[in-house]
Amino acid sequence: MEKVPTKSIGTGPFVIGTSKVRPRMGDTFKRGEKLGIYLQLYNFEADEKTKKADGTVEYVITKNGSNEKVFEYTEDVSAISGGASQVVIEKLLPLQNMEPGQYTLRMKVVDKKRNQTLTPTATFTVT
């Protein structure tokens, strides 16, 4: 993932809005690489006062087999760019501190106003 120049916004292959997002065809990464997370979330119910989404996004990476948490982070949706109609998550997580093996990324997205939860997951390997 990388930001594109203003003149290139929305144009060209793999450009979504202000970012160029090249998908990874496999699920294997080297320790020196970064894991990119790109996710668009739609239709949060807006807070009446702030007009922003009211919710949280939790990220947890566990090592498969041991269920050891190697990364855990929670952020408020209102702090992420976008509005209630569309929230765009763009994260790059360095993998250099992860031992070789298989991992699972679990996200928990909560819309507090609608009392709805999404729990996308993805598995990947670090070599």
Side-chain angles (χ1 to χ4, degrees):
M1 283 185 294
E2 61 188 61
K3 294 294 181 189
V4 295
T6 305
K7 64 181 180 186
S8 299
I9 291 176
T11 63
F14 307 116
V15 176
I16 304 171
T18 61
S19 298
K20 184 172 189 173
V21 183
R22 285 189 29 226
R24 181 84 173 228
M25 298 312 290
D27 61 357
T28 301
F29 297 83
K30 293 182 176 146
R31 290 178 76 185
E33 294 181 305
K34 294 180 181 179
L35 173 69
I37 301 170
Y38 184 90
L39 183 66
Q40 292 182 349
L41 303 165
Y42 296 94
N43 299 320
F44 276 88
E45 186 168 328
D47 180 88
E48 292 178 18
K49 293 179 184 174
T50 65
K51 304 298 183 208
K52 289 196 167 240
D54 185 14
T56 58
V57 180
E58 178 183 321
Y59 310 82
V60 177
I61 296 177
T62 55
K63 185 163 185 174
N64 294 359
S66 70
N67 288 330
E68 169 195 355
K69 289 182 183 178
V70 296
F71 180 81
E72 189 171 14
Y73 177 69
T74 301
E75 64 183 331
D76 193 50
V77 172
S78 65
I80 302 172
S81 66
S85 62
Q86 179 183 15
V87 174
V88 179
I89 294 172
E90 296 181 71
K91 301 281 183 221
L92 288 172
L93 302 176
L95 303 174
Q96 74 262 11
N97 294 330
M98 292 187 188
E99 294 299 319
Q102 290 192 325
Y103 294 85
T104 300
L105 165 65
R106 289 182 175 82
M107 295 177 66
K108 182 177 180 183
V109 181
V110 178
D111 182 337
K112 292 180 181 178
K113 292 285 188 187
R114 289 197 169 129
N115 197 25
Q116 292 179 331
T117 302
L118 294 173
T119 54
T121 63
T123 58
F124 63 96
T125 303
V126 175
T127 59

